[in-house]
């Protein structure tokens, strides 16, 4: 099932995408959906970020090739976690705002995102699937020069619009070995498979939930593969994940 969040006639709803239509559901997408009876052509609605999380927990250095391209000798023994603010979230088709006055290099980082489906804490890896609503595409946009300058990552990754997610949440997919690519203006920059994750999704849910309570709608970004690189104003960046879909955003000047 593909769960989308969309707007039409100044209203916002959740719905289930079926081929070229979206069937509206009442209230939230957690639990068994209740359909309202409204069905709309997908082309007639505007897709929004499929969820507005209370928090975004991201995983750094989770593909060995990416660790090496960033100058690391050995991958970390444990997941490296950091957070992005909820105000960084945008949806498909929305603009990534390049903060020219503050950064001279802003990079794309295509990632598989996990969407939590229920309140949970201290979840064993073997039971991680029970707390996951589904999966979506994400772009962990990063001001690389600020990341290197600061030594920690909050400012570099926390700008408004620096967390595009979408186009919807896919609830019925095995995330263990999916193709993931990132392209800029049609040129493929990142090309990998989720089977190359150093710490898999069950282990990540266990690790993160040992630290903090996860709420319905919270998002875990699982890390980016090798091939990260700069985006410029006017560029169009697309993250595509097998079995889920494509997330496309254009870069514009914030200043």
């Amino acid at each position: 099932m593909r769960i989308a969040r969309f707007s039409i006639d100044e209203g916002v709803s959740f719905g289930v995408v079926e081929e070229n239509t979206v069937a509206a559901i009442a209230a939230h997408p957690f639990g068994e959906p209740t359909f309202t009876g409204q069905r709309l052509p997908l082309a007639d609605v505007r897709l929004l970020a499929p969820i507005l999380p209370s928090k975004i927990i991201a995983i750094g250095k989770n593909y060995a090739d990416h660790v090496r391209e960033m100058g690391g000798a050995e991958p970390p023994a444990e997941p490296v976690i950091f957070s992005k603010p909820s105000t960084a979230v945008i949806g498909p088709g929305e603009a990534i705002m390049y903060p020219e006055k503050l950064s001279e290099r802003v990079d794309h980082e295509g990632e598989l995102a996990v969407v939590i489906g229920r309140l949970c804490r201290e979840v064993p890896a073997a039971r991680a699937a029970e707390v996951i609503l589904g999966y979506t595409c994400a772009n962990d946009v990063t001001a690389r020069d600020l990341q290197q300058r600061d030594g920690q990552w909050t400012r570099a990754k926390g700008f408004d619009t620096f967390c595009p997610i979408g186009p919807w949440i896919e609830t019925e997919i095995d995330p263990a070995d999916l193709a993931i690519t990132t392209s800029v203006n049609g040129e493929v920059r990142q090309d990998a498979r989720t089977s190359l994750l150093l710490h898999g999704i069950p282990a990540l849910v266990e690790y993160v939930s040992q630290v903090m309570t996860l709420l319905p709608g919270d998002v875990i970004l699982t890390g980016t593969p090798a091939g990260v690189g700069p985006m410029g104003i006017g560029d169009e960046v697309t993250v595509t994940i097998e079995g889920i879909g494509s997330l496309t955003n254009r870069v514009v000047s914030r200043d």
Side-chain angles (χ1 to χ4, degrees):
M1 182 164 60
R2 288 178 167 176
I3 298 173
R5 181 170 159 267
F6 66 93
S7 67
I8 189 167
D9 296 332
E10 299 183 356
V12 175
S13 300
F14 286 100
V16 173
V17 176
E18 299 171 340
E19 296 183 350
N20 296 318
T21 66
V22 57
I25 59 177
H28 56 69
F30 309 107
E32 192 67 26
T34 301
F35 291 93
T36 67
Q38 183 184 35
R39 184 179 294 274
L40 300 162
L42 191 58
D44 290 350
V45 306
R46 178 188 170 207
L47 292 178
L48 307 173
I51 204 72
L52 295 178
S54 76
K55 54 185 172 291
I56 304 142
I57 304 303
I59 310 299
K61 303 180 179 180
N62 205 23
Y63 286 83
D65 285 351
H66 176 58
V67 173
R68 287 189 283 270
E69 79 173 348
M70 299 304 290
E74 294 294 333
E78 295 182 303
V80 175
I81 66 174
F82 61 94
S83 64
K84 293 173 79 83
S86 59
T87 47
V89 170
I90 58 173
E94 293 188 72
I96 298 168
M97 307 291 252
Y98 195 121
E100 294 174 273
K101 293 180 180 178
L102 296 173
S103 174
E104 295 181 355
R105 175 168 169 171
V106 173
D107 283 11
H108 58 79
E109 294 192 6
E111 308 198 10
L112 173 68
V114 180
V115 182
I116 298 298
R118 66 187 182 104
L119 186 148
C120 60
R121 64 187 297 268
E122 297 182 355
V123 180
R127 299 187 62 185
E130 298 176 21
V131 305
I132 294 173
L133 174 63
Y135 306 90
T136 192
C137 308
N139 189 348
D140 177 20
V141 180
T142 304
R144 191 70 68 200
D145 51 350
L146 301 186
Q147 182 185 28
Q148 294 169 347
R149 185 189 311 167
D150 293 351
Q152 55 81 35
W153 303 348
T154 302
R155 180 168 68 136
K157 292 174 175 283
F159 284 92
D160 291 353
T161 76
F162 270 28
C163 190
I165 58 174
W168 40 61
I169 301 165
E170 174 58 68
T171 66
E172 298 174 11
I173 196 169
D174 182 350
D177 185 26
L178 303 175
I180 176 171
T181 64
T182 305
S183 64
V184 178
N185 301 326
E187 176 190 354
V188 174
R189 298 274 189 87
Q190 295 180 277
D191 187 1
R193 301 194 70 87
T194 57
S195 55
L196 298 174
L197 286 167
L198 296 171
H199 305 283
I201 289 167
L204 294 178
V205 172
E206 178 178 77
Y207 191 84
V208 172
S209 68
Q210 288 175 342
V211 178
M212 66 193 75
T213 298
L214 296 172
L215 304 179
D218 282 352
V219 169
I220 299 175
L221 305 184
T222 58
T224 196
V228 301
M231 303 179 295
I233 292 168
D235 284 348
E236 185 175 84
V237 58
T238 299
V239 179
T240 300
I241 302 179
E242 179 183 8
I244 299 176
S246 295
L247 167 69
T248 298
N249 302 89
R250 186 171 293 278
V251 182
V252 303
S253 174
R254 192 184 79 164
D255 301 317

